[in-house]
Amino acid sequence: MRKVKLNTERLTLRSVMLSDLNDVHALHSSPAVDEYNTLGIPDNIKQTRDLVCEWVLSSEKEEGRKLTLTVLNEDDEFIGLIAVNTGRAVYQSAEVWFKYHKKYWNKGYATEALKAVIDFGFDQLNLHRIEAGCAVENIRSKKVLEKVGMVQEGRKRECLPLGDKWSDTLEFGMLKSDRK
C-alpha cells in the first residue's frame, strides 16, 4: 500500500504516523473504548509505540497488507482510528475495523469514515469483498456496519476474548456489487 489521505464532508483520514503516538495511546488507554476490543489497555506507551511503528511500516510498504488511518474531524482533532487489512491478493478481500474516542460517539463520524474506507477499498484497492466483525453486545458498531450497507452474514461462537470471558461475534460482509 502507500501513504493514503481520504477526505469526506467532515473528516480527514490519513495514514497513521509516529507523531500520532500520544493520541493513539490515549485512545487505547480508554476503558470505554476497550470494552469490546481484544487489544487490551497498554501497560505503557512503549507497547503503543511498538504497535504504531508496526502500522507505519506496514502502510509504507507497497505490498503492505495493513493500512491504519487516523481520523481527524473538521477541527483537525484526532478522534479515532480506522483500518483496512487485505488478505491474499487472489481473494481480493479485506477486513475493516475502527475505534473512536467516546466523546465522538453518536455523531455519525464512524459511519462517514467507514463509507470512505469502503469506497477506497472497492475503487482503489480493487477489492471484491470487505468484511467486519463485532462483539454481539457492541450495538453501536453493529449499527455502523448496517448503516454503510454491510450485511450480517453469521455469528461466530465464543471467538472473541473480552477480559475474562468469551464473546460471540456478528460477522458482516459487503460485495462490490452490493454498493448502491
Side-chain angles (χ1 to χ4, degrees), residues 121-141:
F122 289 135
D123 298 338
Q124 302 299 315
L125 300 178
N126 198 31
L127 297 174
H128 169 71
R129 177 181 174 79
I130 297 176
E131 303 172 346
C134 67
V136 293
E137 300 89 0
N138 192 346
I139 302 304
R140 286 182 182 89
S141 287

Side-chain angles (χ1 to χ4, degrees), residues 123-167:
D123 298 338
Q124 302 299 315
L125 300 178
N126 198 31
L127 297 174
H128 169 71
R129 177 181 174 79
I130 297 176
E131 303 172 346
C134 67
V136 293
E137 300 89 0
N138 192 346
I139 302 304
R140 286 182 182 89
S141 287
K142 179 181 185 280
K143 285 181 180 178
V144 169
L145 297 171
E146 290 171 339
K147 283 180 188 177
V148 299
M150 296 187 91
V151 176
Q152 185 178 328
E153 299 176 328
R155 180 177 180 140
K156 286 171 72 174
R157 297 181 311 133
E158 295 188 10
C159 63
L160 190 63
L162 296 177
D164 60 355
K165 65 180 178 124
W166 289 91
S167 173

Side-chain angles (χ1 to χ4, degrees), residues 12-79:
T12 299
L13 289 67
R14 62 158 171 75
S15 298
V16 70
M17 300 183 294
L18 195 52
S19 60
D20 297 316
L21 176 61
N22 289 330
D23 290 325
V24 173
H25 186 67
L27 179 68
H28 284 183
S29 297
S30 166
V33 173
D34 185 60
E35 183 178 7
Y36 298 113
N37 289 288
T38 59
L39 189 59
I41 294 178
D43 293 329
N44 54 55
I45 199 161
K46 184 190 179 313
Q47 285 182 333
T48 306
R49 181 183 178 85
D50 291 346
L51 184 60
V52 171
C53 285
E54 177 187 322
W55 290 341
V56 169
L57 289 174
S58 181
S59 69
E60 288 177 349
K61 293 179 186 174
E62 191 63 32
E63 70 280 0
R65 294 180 181 216
K66 294 181 179 182
L67 178 61
T68 306
L69 304 169
T70 59
V71 182
L72 308 171
N73 69 7
E74 54 269 88
D75 296 323
D76 212 32
E77 296 171 311
F78 176 95
I79 65 170

